[in-house]
Amino acid sequence: QVQLTESGGGLVQPGGSLRLSCAASGSFFRYYLMGWYCQAPGKQRELVARITSSGTTNYADSVKGRFTISRDNAKNTVYLQMNSLKPEDTAVYLCMATWNKEFWGQGTQVTVSS
Protein backbone atom coordinates (compact mmCIF):
# COMPACT_ATOMS: atom_id res chain seq x y z
CA GLN A 1 0.00 0.00 0.00
CA VAL A 2 1.25 3.46 -0.95
CA GLN A 3 -0.12 6.49 0.87
CA LEU A 4 0.00 9.88 -0.81
CA THR A 5 -0.46 13.26 0.83
CA GLU A 6 -0.78 16.41 -1.27
CA SER A 7 -0.22 19.96 -0.08
CA GLY A 8 0.36 23.42 -1.46
CA GLY A 9 -2.97 24.27 -3.03
CA GLY A 10 -4.80 27.51 -2.46
CA LEU A 11 -6.23 30.65 -3.98
CA VAL A 12 -4.01 32.58 -6.38
CA GLN A 13 -4.56 35.41 -8.83
CA PRO A 14 -4.23 34.87 -12.57
CA GLY A 15 -0.57 34.97 -13.55
CA GLY A 16 0.52 33.77 -10.14
CA SER A 17 2.38 30.65 -9.07
CA LEU A 18 1.92 27.72 -6.73
CA ARG A 19 4.03 24.70 -5.89
CA LEU A 20 2.23 21.48 -5.06
CA SER A 21 3.90 18.72 -3.11
CA CYS A 22 3.01 15.06 -2.79
CA ALA A 23 4.66 12.99 -0.09
CA ALA A 24 4.60 9.24 -0.62
CA SER A 25 5.06 6.34 1.75
CA GLY A 26 7.10 3.27 1.02
CA SER A 27 10.68 2.20 0.59
CA PHE A 28 10.53 1.94 -3.19
CA PHE A 29 9.53 5.49 -4.08
CA ARG A 30 12.39 5.83 -6.54
CA TYR A 31 10.74 3.15 -8.67
CA TYR A 32 7.27 4.70 -8.70
CA LEU A 33 5.81 6.34 -11.77
CA MET A 34 4.38 9.56 -10.33
CA GLY A 35 1.75 11.81 -11.81
CA TRP A 36 -0.39 14.85 -11.19
CA TYR A 37 -3.97 14.89 -12.42
CA CYS A 38 -6.67 17.53 -12.17
CA GLN A 39 -10.42 17.34 -11.92
CA ALA A 40 -12.67 20.35 -12.32
CA PRO A 41 -16.35 20.28 -11.33
CA GLY A 42 -18.40 18.39 -13.89
CA LYS A 43 -15.32 17.30 -15.84
CA GLN A 44 -13.35 14.10 -16.11
CA ARG A 45 -10.04 13.64 -14.38
CA GLU A 46 -7.19 14.64 -16.69
CA LEU A 47 -3.47 14.06 -16.73
CA VAL A 48 -1.43 17.19 -16.00
CA ALA A 49 2.10 15.78 -15.84
CA ARG A 50 3.98 12.55 -15.16
CA ILE A 51 7.51 11.66 -14.24
CA THR A 52 9.06 8.21 -14.52
CA SER A 53 11.54 6.61 -12.18
CA SER A 54 14.34 7.70 -14.51
CA GLY A 55 13.11 11.30 -14.58
CA THR A 56 11.44 11.36 -17.99
CA THR A 57 8.56 13.79 -17.98
CA ASN A 58 5.50 14.43 -20.09
CA TYR A 59 2.85 17.13 -19.88
CA ALA A 60 -0.62 17.94 -21.06
CA ASP A 61 -0.50 20.41 -23.95
CA SER A 62 -2.42 22.95 -21.89
CA VAL A 63 0.36 23.24 -19.29
CA LYS A 64 3.51 22.87 -21.38
CA GLY A 65 5.89 25.73 -20.71
CA ARG A 66 4.02 26.75 -17.54
CA PHE A 67 4.15 23.72 -15.22
CA THR A 68 7.14 21.63 -14.19
CA ILE A 69 7.02 18.25 -12.48
CA SER A 70 10.01 17.06 -10.48
CA ARG A 71 10.84 14.49 -7.84
CA ASP A 72 13.15 14.21 -4.85
CA ASN A 73 13.73 10.52 -4.17
CA ALA A 74 15.56 11.29 -0.93
CA LYS A 75 12.39 12.93 0.40
CA ASN A 76 9.87 10.57 -1.23
CA THR A 77 8.23 13.64 -2.71
CA VAL A 78 7.04 14.78 -6.11
CA TYR A 79 6.41 18.43 -6.91
CA LEU A 80 4.39 20.39 -9.42
CA GLN A 81 5.59 23.94 -9.99
CA MET A 82 2.73 25.89 -11.51
CA ASN A 83 3.51 29.25 -13.10
CA SER A 84 1.45 31.71 -15.14
CA LEU A 85 -1.71 30.25 -13.70
CA LYS A 86 -5.00 30.79 -15.52
CA PRO A 87 -8.59 30.63 -14.28
CA GLU A 88 -9.06 27.48 -16.34
CA ASP A 89 -6.40 25.77 -14.19
CA THR A 90 -8.87 25.82 -11.30
CA ALA A 91 -9.43 22.23 -10.17
CA VAL A 92 -8.65 19.67 -7.52
CA TYR A 93 -5.14 18.39 -8.18
CA LEU A 94 -4.49 14.77 -7.30
CA CYS A 95 -1.24 12.88 -6.98
CA MET A 96 -0.97 9.36 -8.37
CA ALA A 97 1.66 6.69 -7.87
CA THR A 98 1.98 3.55 -9.95
CA TRP A 99 3.71 0.62 -8.24
CA ASN A 100 2.19 -2.61 -9.44
CA LYS A 101 -1.13 -0.78 -9.25
CA GLU A 102 -2.38 2.79 -8.98
CA PHE A 103 -2.60 4.72 -5.75
CA TRP A 104 -4.26 8.13 -5.36
CA GLY A 105 -4.08 10.95 -2.89
CA GLN A 106 -7.06 12.91 -1.60
CA GLY A 107 -6.27 15.97 -3.69
CA THR A 108 -5.61 19.64 -3.06
CA GLN A 109 -7.75 22.49 -4.33
CA VAL A 110 -6.25 25.08 -6.65
CA THR A 111 -8.37 28.14 -7.37
CA VAL A 112 -7.18 30.80 -9.81
CA SER A 113 -9.31 33.91 -9.52
CA SER A 114 -9.02 37.65 -9.17
Side-chain angles (χ1 to χ4, degrees), residues 22 33-37 47 49-51 69 78 94-97 104:
C22 172
L33 168 66
M34 300 297 298
W36 286 99
Y37 288 72
L47 172 69
R50 283 189 301 204
I51 184 166
I69 188 170
V78 65
L94 302 107
C95 179
M96 188 203 72
W104 292 89

Side-chain angles (χ1 to χ4, degrees), residues 33-97:
L33 168 66
M34 300 297 298
W36 286 99
Y37 288 72
C38 67
Q39 187 163 19
K43 294 188 177 181
Q44 290 188 332
R45 191 171 294 181
E46 299 178 341
L47 172 69
V48 176
R50 283 189 301 204
I51 184 166
T52 69
S53 58
S54 62
T56 301
T57 58
N58 66 290
Y59 298 90
D61 287 344
S62 60
V63 307
K64 283 180 180 177
R66 300 189 297 124
F67 292 8
T68 302
I69 188 170
S70 61
R71 65 192 297 158
D72 185 337
N73 291 337
K75 295 182 178 180
N76 276 25
T77 300
V78 65
Y79 303 98
L80 185 68
Q81 179 66 44
M82 310 166 70
N83 298 329
S84 302
L85 282 160
K86 305 175 181 179
E88 52 263 43
D89 295 320
T90 296
V92 174
Y93 283 73
L94 302 107
C95 179
M96 188 203 72

Side-chain angles (χ1 to χ4, degrees), residues 20-34:
L20 306 184
S21 300
C22 172
S25 66
S27 302
F28 301 101
F29 175 81
R30 63 188 179 279
Y31 299 117
Y32 301 169
L33 168 66
M34 300 297 298

